[in-house]
Amino acid sequence: MRRISILMLCLLLCGGCGAGSPVAAVDGGGRQDTAFTMDVGAFGDRLYRELEFRDQLEELEPSVVYALLGVDGGDVAAQKNYFSSGATAEEIILFQGVDAEAAGKLMKALEARLDYQKEVYASYAPEEVNYLKRAILLDKGAYVVFCVAADADAARAVIEEALKD
C-alpha cells in the first residue's frame, strides 16, 4: 500500500517540474551568508515532529525528489523531505545548495512546485489550496526551506527562528 501511495503521488505530481511565478513569502533573496549553517536533516526531522499534519508524511528517496522537482542532484549538498500520500498538499522539503547559484535554482524549482500544486489541488481537492496559499518558502544563504502544514503560523515561527542570524 505504501508503494502505491508513493507511486500515485509521483504520478499525480510529476508535472510540477515546470516554471512558475515567484512566491511572495521568500526571505533573504539568496543572499550570501557564509556564517550561517544548518543541519537540514535534523531540522527537517524537527519540523516533522513539532508541527501538526493531517496526513501521514513519508520520506522519499532523494533521486525521486530531484526527478519530481526537476532539479539537478549536483546542485544539492544536503536535503531532507517528507511528503503526504497525496490526500493533502502537506510536505516538507529542505535543501542546502552547493553554492548560492545552486540555491537559487532550488528556490525556483520550489516556487514552480508551489504553483503547480495550487493548479492540481484546485480541481482535485480545492480545500487544499488554502493550505498552499499559506505555504512557507524561505531561503538563507545556500539553504531553502519549503513547508506546507496544517498550522502555517506555527511552521513559520519555527522556520523563521531557525533561520535567524
Side-chain angles (χ1 to χ4, degrees):
M1 188 60 139
R2 177 179 166 180
R3 286 185 183 168
I4 292 171
S5 295
I6 291 172
L7 178 60
M8 288 186 66
L9 172 72
C10 290
L11 291 174
L12 174 67
L13 304 176
C14 197
C17 303
S21 61
V23 174
V26 174
D27 182 32
R31 65 191 151 109
Q32 254 322 37
D33 186 349
T34 55
F36 180 79
T37 61
M38 171 192 288
D39 179 334
V40 296
F43 186 60
D45 290 340
R46 176 181 169 205
L47 288 174
Y48 180 69
R49 280 191 322 271
E50 291 184 13
L51 298 177
E52 177 185 336
F53 296 96
R54 297 164 294 126
D55 195 2
Q56 180 66 39
L57 276 59
E58 296 189 34
E59 190 169 0
L60 299 180
E61 289 294 322
S63 61
V64 173
V65 176
Y66 302 156
L68 183 66
L69 300 176
V71 301
D72 179 350
D75 287 333
V76 180
Q79 69 82 41
K80 186 69 173 186
N81 71 79
Y82 288 98
F83 286 84
S84 76
S85 67
T88 70
E90 296 170 311
E91 53 195 41
I92 299 169
I93 305 170
L94 293 97
F95 286 123
Q96 178 185 0
V98 295
D99 57 27
E101 181 180 340
K105 292 177 192 176
L106 297 168
M107 176 62 97
K108 286 186 188 308
L110 290 170
E111 290 169 346
R113 167 77 173 171
L114 182 56
D115 288 342
Y116 178 77
Q117 291 287 81
K118 287 176 184 175
E119 283 181 36
V120 168
Y121 279 101
S123 61
Y124 174 70
E127 65 280 0
E128 291 301 307
V129 176
N130 293 325
Y131 292 99
L132 289 162
K133 286 179 180 177
R134 300 193 69 220
I136 314 305
L137 179 56
L138 300 173
D139 69 335
K140 183 168 186 172
Y143 299 89
V144 183
V145 179
F146 177 68
C147 183
V148 181
D151 186 344
D153 293 333
R156 181 173 295 282
V158 172
I159 293 167
E160 286 180 346
E161 177 64 29
L163 296 179
K164 255 170 110 170
D165 290 327

